[in-house]
Amino acid sequence: MRPRGERELAGLLSVSFGERIRVGLASIEVTRDGFLEAKDPYGEVKLKLLRESRVRLRPVPPLNRPKLLTDNVYLEFQEPVVLPPRSAELWMRAPYELSIELEGERVAILSPHKVKYVLLGDVIDGVVCRYYKTSAADSPEALNVEGGEALVRISLSSSDSAILPGIGFRCSGIPLYADERFVYYPLVNTELKEKVLESEVVSDPPKEGLVEILEERKKGLEMLGTSRLVIPVG
């Protein structure tokens, strides 16, 4: 039960004894006889709870299931986007995973989606990314956000017009934000130069009025390498 006066935020869920919650392809249940049962397409976890512990679900970047292979996510547009010269801004849907926390400690991570990977570039110098097919719009209200999806605000700049098939960026160790309706990634700045897309995640909320719900770096999880990601386009 949420304490009185606490703001109800999207993505932050509690599971009580005798309750079952489903988010996309992930399900979490706390049985009446005290078992925590959690499953996704890649496995399941069953734990015995010795007392009525507080089981919480918290969104985390989608890098852990079925195992950690990359720091990066690549969001491919359903239809390529025409990028005008100078600057533009768009919103996208992106996946997140669910951290299951018991008394504040993480006991498992689930994926609400089937996981795919993609290699961008050649086999020697290319970049492996978590892959997700998505849609883009000029406002978040125009997107149909489903369970296990967050919103990403992308700030684009380019010296020339171009056709963009997708956006990639590093998301290891980034904070996540929420309001009453949606989960959000931080702002992502991108620049296209000579068919190379360079992106950087800015650890600022993409809009005002959001609450930080994941503070990975404050928990000691350092970002692996630089925060910038450079990928070929076309």
Side-chain angles (χ1 to χ4, degrees):
M1 186 175 181
R2 191 178 301 274
R4 179 178 298 178
E6 183 177 330
R7 186 177 177 187
E8 186 171 346
L9 299 172
L12 289 179
L13 303 171
S14 295
V15 188
S16 304
F17 271 59
E19 186 177 9
R20 184 174 185 266
I21 291 178
R22 189 172 187 88
V23 180
L25 300 177
S27 65
I28 305 93
E29 181 179 8
V30 179
T31 65
R32 294 190 180 279
D33 53 352
F35 284 97
L36 169 62
E37 299 177 354
K39 65 175 67 175
D40 67 6
Y42 306 99
E44 62 181 287
V45 173
K46 186 173 183 178
L47 300 172
K48 175 63 177 176
L49 306 181
L50 299 180
R51 62 182 185 277
E52 287 204 23
S53 304
R54 190 183 194 193
V55 179
R56 295 292 301 269
L57 308 180
R58 185 184 301 272
V60 296
L63 301 174
N64 305 281
R65 301 291 284 162
K67 62 180 179 179
L68 179 61
L69 294 178
T70 178
D71 300 343
N72 314 309
V73 64
Y74 181 72
L75 307 175
E76 183 181 39
F77 301 122
Q78 292 177 347
E79 298 85 20
V81 170
V82 178
L83 179 63
R86 294 180 295 279
S87 63
E89 185 176 286
L90 55 83
W91 288 83
M92 305 172 67
R93 297 178 295 108
Y96 61 80
E97 294 173 341
L98 288 169
S99 170
I100 303 177
E101 299 176 0
L102 186 62
E103 301 297 332
E105 295 295 327
R106 181 176 296 172
V107 296
I109 295 180
L110 301 179
S111 174
H113 311 279
K114 289 187 176 180
V115 175
K116 296 181 180 180
Y117 296 93
V118 64
L119 174 64
L120 303 176
D122 59 55
V123 295
I124 297 177
D125 298 319
V127 178
V128 175
C129 298
R130 166 75 191 273
Y131 171 87
Y132 196 71
K133 194 87 166 182
T134 186
S135 54
D138 57 5
S139 70
E141 291 77 17
L143 294 172
N144 182 23
V145 180
E146 300 180 351
E149 289 184 333
L151 290 168
V152 190
R153 178 185 169 194
I154 309 290
S155 177
L156 297 154
S157 64
S158 175
S159 57
D160 300 302
S161 62
I163 297 177
L164 202 61
I167 299 286
F169 55 90
R170 291 187 183 272
C171 62
S172 174
I174 65 172
L176 295 180
Y177 302 90
D179 57 18
E180 289 82 358
R181 296 183 61 197
F182 300 116
V183 177
Y184 298 83
Y185 279 71
L187 177 65
V188 179
N189 289 329
T190 64
E191 183 177 10
L192 181 63
K193 295 185 295 186
E194 299 179 353
K195 293 189 176 182
V196 174
L197 186 69
E198 182 174 316
S199 64
E200 183 176 20
V201 176
V202 181
S203 297
D204 295 326
K207 54 181 285 188
E208 294 182 353
L210 302 182
V211 176
E212 188 170 348
I213 59 172
L214 180 68
E215 303 176 347
E216 289 288 77
R217 275 174 288 187
K218 295 178 183 178
K219 293 180 180 178
L221 299 180
E222 296 181 355
M223 296 184 71
L224 304 177
T226 175
S227 62
R228 292 180 179 267
L229 176 63
V230 179
I231 58 176
V233 175

